Amino acid sequence: MSEYLAFYQGEFVKEDSIKISIRSKAFNYGLGCFEGIRAYWNEEKKQLYVFRLKEHYERLLQSCKALNINIPFTIDQLCNATVELLKRNNFKTTVYIRPVAYKSSENLSPSLYDDDNSFLIYCQPLERFIEKEAFRVCISSWRRISDNMIPARTKPTGGYLNSALASLEAALNGYDEAIFLTEDGKVCEGPGENIFIYKNGKLITPPASDNILEGITRDMVMKIAKNDLNIEVVERSISRTELYAADEVFFTGTAMEVAPVIEVDRRIVGNGKPGEVSLKIREYLMNAAMGNIEKYIYMCTPVY
Ligand code: PMP
């Protein structure tokens, strides 16, 4: 049961009133794509700021294009609908926003060709995604789907089975989260987050060509490290043992924000505590997202 309003097919309606057919291709075959966006409540300014709203919708439309899901909205219309939805829900707390574009036709084939496209946005309060200060992770025995299987620069609904299998394996084996390798054995990303290592004063993260999702948080962390914290950032492939030998490891993502990793495959990372650099980056990122850093305020869309 949800008490919130959602945006469905161009209208603001009670989320609970939306009915989706059990025959829909989104449900049967995962033919859809989505985004995950956050809006941060700034108590001092009594303002709700949506962080990097436009970039999320640019990525959604990129996903839609790759999957042939045509939705009748421009980026500006999607941004406006999101702001209006948050306003109508009268949120005064940090919120997670989930737009989904999907194939709603009901015939039996798993076809992306049909022109039966639907779009909705739902949202909910979300302070912390996972109540953990630090993560103990394992390398998954599942490899990350590569770009020629399911396009890596999209957020495809069906592709998250790959993520879910890795997270399940990690949980069953007593870990908090998994790290994927690419098919050729390079460190890729987490099931729903990008990864960084810090070693000898440099921040290193896998390049887009290693089948990662080009995370918006990843991009922000690289900006902050370079421009504000004077840390060199290198995008290059990372090998498995580099994770074990790193001074610090952390995940980044809209839901996860910056999450320090303190153990990989039972090897302690650094001194076994959340790293100093990881925490500094997290603090800076949170301040930027909350609308507290003047030079980044243009990335924060005010709702009220
Ligand atoms: N990789 C994957 C597979 C993800 O699902 C996400 C979450 N969107 C990320 C990385 C992080 O991306 P972002 O920072 O844009 O949320």
Side-chain angles (χ1 to χ4, degrees), residues 4 6-7 25 28 31 49 60-61 139 152 158 164 169 177 217 245:
Y4 302 113
F7 182 75
K25 288 182 199 288
N28 285 260
L31 302 192
Y49 287 114
L60 182 78
L61 293 192
I139 302 291
E169 180 186 52
E177 189 56 292
T217 320

Side-chain angles (χ1 to χ4, degrees), residues 73-92:
F73 303 106
T74 62
I75 290 180
D76 280 350
Q77 286 171 329
L78 292 166
C79 291
N80 292 340
T82 304
V83 167
E84 182 62 25
L85 180 64
L86 295 172
K87 209 180 278 175
R88 287 190 187 211
N89 275 302
N90 198 26
F91 284 121
K92 298 209 160 62

Side-chain angles (χ1 to χ4, degrees), residues 132-250:
K132 265 188 195 311
E133 281 310 309
F135 285 70
R136 296 183 160 78
V137 308
C138 60
I139 302 291
S140 182
S141 70
W142 297 95
R143 293 298 166 101
R144 190 67 178 139
I145 36 179
S146 78
D147 199 51
N148 281 318
M149 299 173 187
I150 292 180
R153 283 176 186 73
T154 67
K155 279 181 70 70
T157 307
Y160 280 77
L161 177 56
N162 181 234
S163 296
L165 285 167
S167 294
L168 173 67
E169 180 186 52
L172 291 177
N173 289 326
Y175 297 95
D176 301 322
E177 189 56 292
I179 293 174
F180 279 117
L181 302 182
T182 59
E183 278 214 289
D184 58 356
K186 300 290 186 216
V187 172
C188 185
E189 60 181 348
E193 52 280 326
N194 293 112
I195 193 163
F196 283 82
I197 66 171
Y198 182 72
K199 178 83 180 173
N200 296 334
K202 280 187 202 156
L203 210 51
I204 309 165
T205 194
S209 51
D210 276 354
N211 290 326
I212 60 162
L213 178 74
E214 288 176 281
I216 291 164
T217 320
R218 171 183 179 272
D219 175 70
M220 193 65 200
V221 163
M222 292 197 290
K223 275 192 175 64
I224 289 171
K226 280 187 228 170
N227 302 341
D228 305 296
L229 303 178
N230 209 13
I231 300 170
E232 189 182 342
V233 182
V234 184
E235 285 176 83
R236 65 153 172 84
S237 294
I238 297 174
S239 58
R240 178 177 188 152
T241 34
E242 280 188 274
L243 282 177
Y244 302 158
D247 297 331
E248 298 186 25
V249 177
F250 61 88

